[in-house]
Amino acid sequence: MLVASSPHTIGPVSVQQVMFRVWLATLPGFAALIWFFGWGYLINALLAVSTALVAEAIILRLRRRPILFFLTDGSAVLTAWLLALALPPLAPWWIPVIGALAAIVFAKHLYGGLGNNPFNPAMVGYAVLLVSFPVEMTTRWGMPAALASEAHSLAEAAQVIFAGLRVEQTLVDGMTMATPLDVYKTETALTSAAVVREDPLFSAGWRLYGWEWVSLLYLLGGVVLIWQRVISWHTPVAVLASLALLALVFSWAGDQYMPIDLHLLGGATMLGAFFIATDPVSSATSNRGKLIYGAGIGVLIYVIRTWGNYPDAVAFAVLLMNFAAPLIDHYTRPRAYGEQRT
Amino acid sequence: MNLMRLLRGQAAEPGWFDFPGGIHPPDNKAQSLQTPIAEFPLQAQYVVPVNQHIGALAVPCVTVGDQVLTGQIIAEAAGFISAPAHAPTSGTVTAIEDRPVPHPSGLTVTCIVIQADGQDTWRPRAPWPDWPARSHADLLQRLQEAGVTGLGGASFPTAVKLAADRAHIDTLVVNGAECEPYITADQALIRERAPTLYRGIEVVHKLYDFQRILIGIEDNKPDAIAALHAGLQALPETLRQRCEIRVVPTRYPSGGERQLIWLLTGREVPSGGLPMDLGMLCHNVGTLAAVADAVIEDRPLISRITTLTGDHLRRQGNIEVRLGTSIDALLAWAGLDTAPERLIMGGPMMGFALNEPGLPLVKATNCLLVPTEQELPTPPPAKPCIRCGHCEQVCPASLLPQQLMWFAQSREWDKAEQHRLFDCIECGACAYVCPSHIPLVQYYRAAKGTIHREKAEHQQAERARIRFEARQARLEQEAAEKEARRQQRAQAAKARQSESATAVDKASDPVSEAVERAKAKRTGEQGTPNTAPTANLSAEQLQARLDQQRDRLAKAEAKLADAAPEHRKAMQMTVSKLQQQIQKTEAQLQKAES
Ligand code: SF4
Ligand code: SF4
């Protein structure tokens, strides 16, 4: 007979399911990305995921861990997937590959594998790329479909990604641009906010041509995750609230500070708040801790976007708060039932 | 204030207060509620263990070959926290020997084996239809002799709980929540025997004169709730006004004593404390029914209602069984189809697996669960913790289960304690939701056990140190006295030599001075002055007594380590009392030796 300690029953949720549900929740946003910015995202994602799986398998082998047992937990897939969502869709093929390698090998396995990484692997991969290949990482964003002179096909996207600069320059130029955050920042520096807002990228009724849709669909996916209790609401709400608050407070000088809608919908904010900052492994644990952790990310996103040199700040904000997570945990242990109030 | 409640507009007069965490496992109660409570046929043999309760083991008071009658005491309570055991039926005592019993530690314990004569002849009984006229002391004594213990699973002697200081207890919490999946013993009892339950409440009310009697029950038991309401109408007006039936939402572990108190009153039992500290008593419905039977019918606790459930059983349901019945016989009766993978006493969340055949049913057996692998699959091998925090979201004690696990793994006991390991009620909610299927509770249990053991060892070392230092002080004193005597002799010799006329030095007397010094040192170190009355015992007798007391202390400490959190305080009292006694004896021994 089998003797085990209680409980003798397990809940319906396994690690695979957690990963799978998070992955599912990114799909609406992902579909919008492809819809608005072309097939590059799909190619990126496939490249990143297969690299991650191969790297994970090899490392598990080297570390003499059961390969299938860990490979099937879905964590490597999800890491690579989230990384791919954050990469410029028309970056050369080796960008997602290197990013995924950095994420799996350095950020995950060098720290001991699943559950032991102090930093969010996807964001480590992203940061490594951004620091090492700033040009590829900032100029190869997809041109919103509505702005592009003609819609580009899967084949064209593949050409740009795999053949890189050896294809006609016009093809690359016709398909890529910087992110709206970047555009806004560089252009306001040259002219004024009022002028910039005339730009078709920002001026249509539903501006940014696709970015809001993507962000809102991420938001939707995130809300579903909260509703399914895969993630708790504390981190995303804190990220968004602190970022929105700062954006509101500073919005009096339009020429210097980005408006709130651009902050919330224009960049990777929603992806970061719901899918990156909530990465369980590297965040704070208690509910109060998550609020502080999330608020810290929101503030850092604002600070780096406004006063920093990088176009988007989610990755660095998350990584910086990863540093602080253990400290936050230390100071936010909840009061236990029956424990004296202090 | 809970947001959902506000939204639902229930903010005004809450029927319940939301506790943090909790889970909703499938309740699996329907299958054992199809039939009324059955009666298990009389068996040829019963095996009655002497440790069916928390506290000191009962002491057998029959010998092999004795004829016993149903309900006759066959083992007497020993000590304050203890309960007697009774003959479940009439027959002959055929053996008194160590046998395996259902206990998490897998202990063997003295059991009294009775060969039934098939007559089931009762000992003379004296029902008290006039029980309200009886004195408190009479009622309590009757309860004590009836061997009633908490029937919710913990088996704390009820008479001890009821003997508590009566002055500031004003609320009775009746626990009918039964939140654990599969178990329906309480629900069946309320459904069919609500009047008996109310009788029990009346008896306890007589002892305490409560201001409020809160009956908590989960909302997935409509039949039982209806029975409660019907039963309430039969109560005398004054009592009825103090009774409130509070239907609480179904959520595991609402039936945990601390959680239920929070649900019903919004107050927290202090950490390490008891409901008594809040002026409350908490009793399970089964216990109260047993109280009524014991006091009014003079029927001691010789049977209980047990749920037989799990898909390996053809006949699932509740059954009233005499204590000491063979569990195997019960399962065979219920149509156990094969040799099961698992046999669980209690529910799937907090029960424990029985690993031996041939165990007897005891007072704590509220459920026997024989699940198939499809029903309750064995957890797959654990993955590493992914720090998802799901465990923390469901912890009803607001702990950080994940952190506790890390500390337990890395053996950082002090940190585990700082993170309130001992406030963990081992409900298993965290392990249930853990997507990595980490056996969290197992870690906590192991950690608690080790910490208790280490503390006990530390205390022992501490006592040894005190003993050693006392001895040291004594030796010093002796040395000082000797030295003083030597000096005195030398001085006297000198005095004689010089033939000085002056008398012996009168200003200072080195002997008494040294004695004083040593004495001061000793009392300072021991903390307790040596005022214990020395019974005129020899050193050997004292030593024997000391050994005996240390023995008992070790036993009590071991038990303390195993004790459920709600009984820990009581056990701690016993332990500290024993420690005091030992100190006293040690002091006496020292005196006797010196
Ligand atoms: S539920 Fe399990 S995996 Fe998640 S944080 Fe808790 S222990 Fe870790
Ligand atoms: S077993 Fe302990 S730590 Fe886990 S949920 Fe229950 S009380 Fe919390």
Side-chain angles (χ1 to χ4, degrees), chain B residues 556-569:
Chain B
E557 276 169 348
K559 237 175 261 151
L560 176 62
D562 288 343
E566 59 270 34
H567 307 129
R568 196 152 286 139
K569 196 170 186 187

Side-chain angles (χ1 to χ4, degrees), chain B residues 321-345:
Chain B
V321 201
R322 301 279 168 105
L323 304 173
T325 303
S326 145
I327 286 178
D328 291 348
L330 255 177
L331 296 179
W333 178 85
L336 179 66
D337 46 10
T338 51
E341 304 88 47
R342 268 178 302 178
L343 167 58
I344 297 163
M345 178 169 128

Side-chain angles (χ1 to χ4, degrees), chain B residues 181-492:
Chain B
Y182 282 98
I183 308 180
T184 54
D186 287 348
Q187 184 173 358
L189 175 114
I190 301 175
R191 194 161 80 166
E192 294 176 34
R193 303 184 188 168
T196 317
L197 163 64
Y198 279 112
R199 271 297 143 73
I201 293 180
E202 279 180 81
V203 171
V204 181
H205 179 62
K206 162 100 189 350
L207 287 173
Y208 281 94
D209 191 24
F210 297 110
Q211 294 306 305
R212 280 201 305 178
I213 296 169
L214 304 175
I215 307 173
I217 183 163
E218 279 189 343
D219 60 8
N220 62 351
K221 308 176 177 57
D223 48 356
I225 296 171
L228 278 178
H229 279 291
L232 188 61
Q233 295 317 311
L235 287 192
E237 179 66 26
T238 49
L239 182 56
R240 191 165 68 225
Q241 274 168 357
R242 299 186 192 184
C243 278
E244 279 175 58
I245 297 168
R246 294 270 191 89
V247 180
V248 298
T250 302
R251 171 154 35 123
Y252 180 83
S254 64
E257 188 172 71
R258 287 158 186 256
Q259 277 61 44
L260 189 68
I261 285 176
W262 172 261
L263 266 169
L264 297 185
T265 65
R267 295 177 65 196
E268 289 174 34
V269 180
S271 171
L274 292 171
M276 242 172 249
D277 302 336
L278 299 178
M280 296 181 194
L281 273 190
C282 187
H283 281 290
N284 166 272
V285 288
T287 316
L288 288 166
V291 164
D293 281 342
V295 168
I296 305 172
E297 312 293 341
D298 191 17
R299 186 179 190 282
L301 187 64
I302 57 164
S303 68
R304 68 156 297 146
I305 301 173
T306 298
T307 306
L308 299 174
T309 185
D311 284 350
H312 268 313
L313 300 182
R314 240 179 314 111
R315 248 201 259 187
Q316 302 188 28
N318 284 291
I319 187 162
E320 171 125 28
V321 201
R322 301 279 168 105
L323 304 173
T325 303
S326 145
I327 286 178
D328 291 348
L330 255 177
L331 296 179
W333 178 85
L336 179 66
D337 46 10
T338 51
E341 304 88 47
R342 268 178 302 178
L343 167 58
I344 297 163
M345 178 169 128
M349 297 301 298
M350 291 185 77
F352 61 93
L354 302 180
N355 50 355
E356 272 172 290
L359 298 173
L361 181 128
V362 294
K363 291 177 184 175
T365 315
N366 50 359
C367 178
L368 290 168
L369 169 60
V370 201
T372 58
E373 187 61 27
Q374 291 93 297
E375 251 186 309
L376 297 180
T378 332
K383 287 202 159 69
C385 167
I386 57 166
R387 309 193 4 121
C388 61
H390 291 184
C391 47
E392 187 217 320
Q393 298 297 327
V394 300
C395 176
S398 301
L399 306 178
L400 297 175
Q402 183 205 137
Q403 254 83 337
L404 287 177
M405 183 220 15
W406 294 122
F407 296 139
Q409 267 181 346
S410 55
R411 310 181 66 84
E412 294 173 85
W413 308 133
D414 48 335
K415 285 219 184 113
E417 275 190 84
Q418 256 168 39
H419 280 68
R420 327 271 330 166
L421 175 65
F422 286 96
D423 287 323
C424 166
I425 58 168
E426 297 178 17
C427 66
C430 50
Y432 179 81
V433 296
C434 177
S436 291
H437 307 309
I438 302 172
L440 294 164
V441 181
Q442 211 168 315
Y443 280 112
Y444 308 149
R445 269 204 207 108
K448 285 181 187 176
T450 316
I451 293 176
H452 277 311
R453 246 193 327 279
E454 282 185 3
K455 278 206 178 134
E457 274 162 25
H458 177 75
Q459 268 173 8
Q460 228 159 24
E462 189 65 9
R463 278 196 300 278
R465 187 183 64 79
I466 291 173
R467 249 199 326 276
F468 173 77
E469 284 177 359
R471 182 165 169 275
Q472 214 52 21
R474 196 184 72 225
L475 292 181
E476 269 169 36
Q477 183 191 0
E478 279 168 11
E481 282 168 13
K482 225 164 146 186
E483 171 66 16
R485 274 198 299 274
R486 199 188 55 76
Q487 270 181 15
Q488 205 177 25
R489 271 199 307 276
Q491 243 171 27

Side-chain angles (χ1 to χ4, degrees), chain A residues 156-219:
Chain A
E156 280 171 322
Q159 247 184 321
V160 174
I161 291 173
F162 289 104
L165 296 175
R166 273 177 286 130
V167 298
E168 268 178 85
Q169 190 59 39
T170 50
L171 181 59
V172 177
D173 287 346
M175 287 166 66
T176 62
M177 61 177 291
T179 64
L181 288 178
D182 223 7
V183 174
Y184 188 91
K185 209 167 151 183
T186 35
E187 289 193 7
T188 35
L190 300 175
T191 58
S192 73
V195 178
V196 175
R197 298 233 108 181
E198 297 291 301
D199 187 309
L201 185 58
F202 304 107
S203 64
W206 191 229
R207 298 179 316 248
L208 308 174
Y209 287 109
W211 281 105
E212 335 48 2
W213 282 107
V214 173
S215 290
L216 288 175
L217 287 170
Y218 280 145
L219 174 70

Side-chain angles (χ1 to χ4, degrees), chain A residues 1-16 18-19 69-70 72-73 114-116 229-232 234 280-287 290 329 333-341, chain B residues 258 267-271 340-342 344 348-349 351-353 355 376 378-388 390 392-393 397-400 402-403 418-420 428 431-432 435-437 441-442 445:
Chain A
M1 262 198 274
L2 197 96
V3 185
S5 166
S6 67
H8 306 279
T9 172
I10 47 170
V13 182
S14 64
V15 174
Q16 286 99 315
V18 171
M19 302 291 167
F69 180 67
F70 281 111
T72 50
D73 65 21
L114 180 63
N116 294 314
R229 298 186 183 230
V230 175
I231 58 175
S232 74
H234 303 82
V281 179
S282 47
S283 85
T285 44
S286 70
N287 288 343
K290 282 180 191 151
D329 276 347
R333 184 177 67 74
R335 188 183 68 85
Y337 179 107
E339 189 183 343
Q340 226 141 53
R341 281 162 225 269
Chain B
R258 287 158 186 256
R267 295 177 65 196
E268 289 174 34
V269 180
S271 171
E341 304 88 47
R342 268 178 302 178
I344 297 163
M349 297 301 298
F352 61 93
N355 50 355
L376 297 180
T378 332
K383 287 202 159 69
C385 167
I386 57 166
R387 309 193 4 121
C388 61
H390 291 184
E392 187 217 320
Q393 298 297 327
S398 301
L399 306 178
L400 297 175
Q402 183 205 137
Q403 254 83 337
Q418 256 168 39
H419 280 68
R420 327 271 330 166
Y432 179 81
S436 291
H437 307 309
V441 181
Q442 211 168 315
R445 269 204 207 108

